[in-house]
Amino acid sequence: MTTVAVIGQGYVGLPLAVASANAGSTVIGVEVNTSRVDQLNEGKSPVEDISDAAIAELVTAGNYSATTDFAIVSDSSIVAICVPTPLDSSSKPDLTALISATTSIGKNLKAGTLVIIESTVEPGTTRNVVLPILIKESGLSESDIDLAFSPERIDPSNKKWTIANTPKIVAGLTPKALDRTIEFYSGFVSEVTKCSSLEIAETAKLLENSFRLINISFINEIAQMCDVMGLNVNEVIDAASTKPYGFMPFYPSVGIGGHCIPIDPVYLAHAAKQAGAPSSMIDLAQKINDDRPAYFVDKASKLLGGLSGKKILVVGIAYKPNVADMRESAALPLIAGLRKAGAEVSWHDHLVGAWNSEVSAPLSGAFDLVLVVNKHDGVDLSAVGATPVIYTGYVKGQSA
Ligand SMILES: NC(=O)c1ccc[n+]([C@@H]2O[C@H](COP(=O)([O-])OP(=O)(O)OC[C@H]3O[C@@H](n4cnc5c(N)ncnc54)[C@H](O)[C@@H]3O)[C@@H](O)[C@H]2O)c1
């Protein structure tokens, strides 16, 4: 039986570990967060898309366990790296976790192990950063190491597109690494497509999320345009969406959030700047996105005749509907902006529950204004009564 080590047990690594274990491998989740390791071994899932029962069943059957110990790498024939690749304090790619994980893997690597990078990286990282560390730390030669890149496309809370039916792209350092990677994913992914080089696959992932950033920023600018012109942008989008070709709807919001779309385009723009290539579309889209919360602070201020002392309830503060994930949520600069302007801000989000030493406030009519960032399933806004409501995003039939 194949033993697979999945490094990083978060939104990407845990679903991969579960899918691989359900396909018949013995999977070890390697994680630096000790409380998460304990939680997993007790059969409790830290991510919404994986149930406690799914973990508990695999743990009980002996097909899955979690550990902090990288020594398990030496017993694994496949190692998949799913650690965070965020931005540093100066908004540059931060490879600290990837380099740390790769170093620990290298120290335990035996010849013939397939190492797959799933973390999002800029072009050249697998070949020029990961491979030299693996060679140096393991003492192996390049020909002893099978290295591949296959970006994760998981969309947390998406019930239609899952790890099993979302096509996966793969690239290998060598044809052998590529073949082994295709064989691994074909065990639990319905469609696996090969790319001709590691760099093509790395850049394709960044293109996908830059495409989303640019289009979401574009529709957010169109929303502001429609607002000024007295048009309901949601009706405009619904009307344009009837075109069966050449148009794809994107929807307005207070701004993009999550671990991918605000970050991955910065990786691509960084790579472009390093290479002396242009990235002006990404740069402008970032700026439009960053300005979006301030637009709603201004809109609220105009509606209420100033914000000083006004009681405002922000509804749905996670980065998107039906998740509890606060990473890069645009609700955070929105709340900060409202407070800076003197408003007393409460928030309601039953999925987040508690954040930043604050807790979710009940929906009620005790506010001067309600600002809806996300409407999770089951949230009933009728409790706010006649309080004015600003929808920052798309709700069919509502003005933006
Ligand atoms: N979340 C998404 O929707 C998504 C989608 C596609 C791709 N990605 C990419 O996948 C990668 C992982 O993202 P995520 O959302 O799963 O992050 P996450 O924060 O949910 O999980 C990462 C896990 O890795 C652990 N970790 C950190 N450093 C480690 C180390 N050195 N060794 C072992 N474990 C370590 C963390 O404790 C955490 O549990 C990122 O590159 C991200 O861009 C994420």
Side-chain angles (χ1 to χ4, degrees):
M1 189 186 280
T2 311
T3 299
V4 179
V6 180
I7 318 298
Q9 292 293 275
Y11 283 93
V12 166
L14 190 57
L16 174 66
V18 168
S20 170
N22 283 334
S25 297
T26 299
V27 180
I28 315 293
V30 184
E31 185 34 82
V32 287
N33 180 336
T34 48
S35 57
R36 180 163 287 201
V37 167
D38 294 342
Q39 196 184 349
L40 287 164
N41 287 329
E42 285 161 16
K44 297 202 180 81
S45 170
V47 307
E48 294 95 352
D49 287 344
I50 301 292
S51 67
D52 291 352
I55 301 289
E57 208 173 291
L58 290 170
V59 171
T60 307
N63 295 334
Y64 172 81
S65 62
T67 179
T68 55
D69 190 355
F70 277 81
I72 190 67
V73 165
S74 61
D75 296 330
S76 307
S77 49
I78 299 174
V79 178
I81 307 183
C82 308
V83 300
T85 45
L87 300 177
D88 65 16
S89 54
S90 51
S91 293
K92 297 255 167 47
D94 179 357
L95 297 186
T96 311
L98 180 67
I99 290 171
S100 162
T102 305
T103 304
S104 304
I105 292 164
K107 289 184 194 306
N108 293 281
L109 198 65
K110 66 176 190 320
T113 306
L114 172 64
V115 178
I116 306 169
I117 316 302
E118 285 226 357
S119 296
T120 305
V121 293
E122 59 183 275
T125 307
T126 307
R127 191 187 305 272
N128 301 325
V129 178
V130 173
L131 180 61
I133 296 173
L134 292 178
I135 291 172
K136 174 169 174 272
E137 298 297 333
S138 67
L140 297 169
S141 64
E142 186 174 322
S143 58
D144 288 331
I145 299 172
D146 284 337
L147 183 62
F149 177 78
S150 178
E152 185 46 74
R153 287 170 160 168
I154 204 155
D155 181 18
S157 89
N158 192 328
K159 304 275 180 266
K160 182 178 176 196
W161 295 106
T162 63
I163 199 165
N165 65 0
T166 305
K168 195 123 177 65
I169 56 172
V170 295
L173 179 69
T174 59
K176 179 166 157 256
L178 177 61
D179 288 346
R180 290 185 68 192
T181 308
I182 292 171
E183 188 191 348
F184 171 59
Y185 288 117
S186 298
F188 52 92
V189 178
S190 56
E191 191 181 328
V192 180
T193 301
K194 48 182 150 177
C195 297
S196 64
S197 72
L198 297 166
E199 289 74 14
I200 295 284
E202 290 167 331
T203 311
K205 169 71 188 177
L206 299 178
L207 168 64
E208 291 164 20
N209 282 347
S210 298
F211 170 85
R212 284 188 62 73
L213 168 73
I214 287 168
N215 281 288
I216 292 168
S217 294
F218 175 59
I219 204 68
N220 279 337
E221 188 167 70
I222 294 286
Q224 279 175 231
M225 212 186 267
C226 286
D227 214 8
V228 172
M229 296 191 295
L231 299 170
N232 181 334
V233 68
N234 294 329
E235 283 185 40
V236 174
I237 295 167
D238 288 344
S241 299
T242 60
K243 186 177 179 185
Y245 58 90
F247 182 80
M248 179 187 286
F250 285 83
Y251 298 101
S253 63
V254 72
I256 49 167
H259 187 47
C260 291
I261 302 170
I263 290 168
D264 299 356
V266 180
Y267 272 63
L268 187 53
H270 182 261
K273 287 180 181 90
Q274 299 285 100
S279 62
S280 53
M281 292 285 281
I282 293 173
D283 300 342
L284 179 60
Q286 290 281 358
K287 186 186 174 315
I288 292 172
N289 184 62
D290 291 348
D291 290 348
R292 191 73 174 153
Y295 170 76
F296 284 103
V297 173
D298 188 50
K299 191 166 175 165
S301 179
K302 285 190 179 124
L303 187 80
L304 296 176
L307 291 175
S308 185
K310 296 287 163 48
K311 292 187 168 49
I312 298 183
L313 181 70
V314 176
V315 173
I317 63 166
Y319 87 85
K320 71 173 187 176
N322 301 323
V323 299
D325 192 347
M326 291 292 290
R327 288 179 298 178
E328 311 291 327
S329 173
L332 305 187
L334 175 71
I335 291 172
L338 293 167
R339 285 182 175 156
K340 195 166 172 219
E344 289 174 28
V345 183
S346 305
W347 53 267
H348 171 84
D349 194 313
H350 68 283
L351 295 181
V352 173
W355 162 75
N356 202 20
S357 310
E358 297 171 22
V359 291
S360 175
L363 290 166
S364 79
F367 298 93
D368 297 305
L369 176 68
V370 171
L371 264 161
V372 181
V373 171
N374 292 303
K375 200 164 156 306
H376 298 315
D377 289 350
V379 169
D380 180 4
L381 288 175
S382 63
V384 308
T387 312
V389 178
I390 293 177
Y391 291 90
T392 64
Y394 175 89
V395 178
K396 205 169 171 60
Q398 297 284 351
S399 58

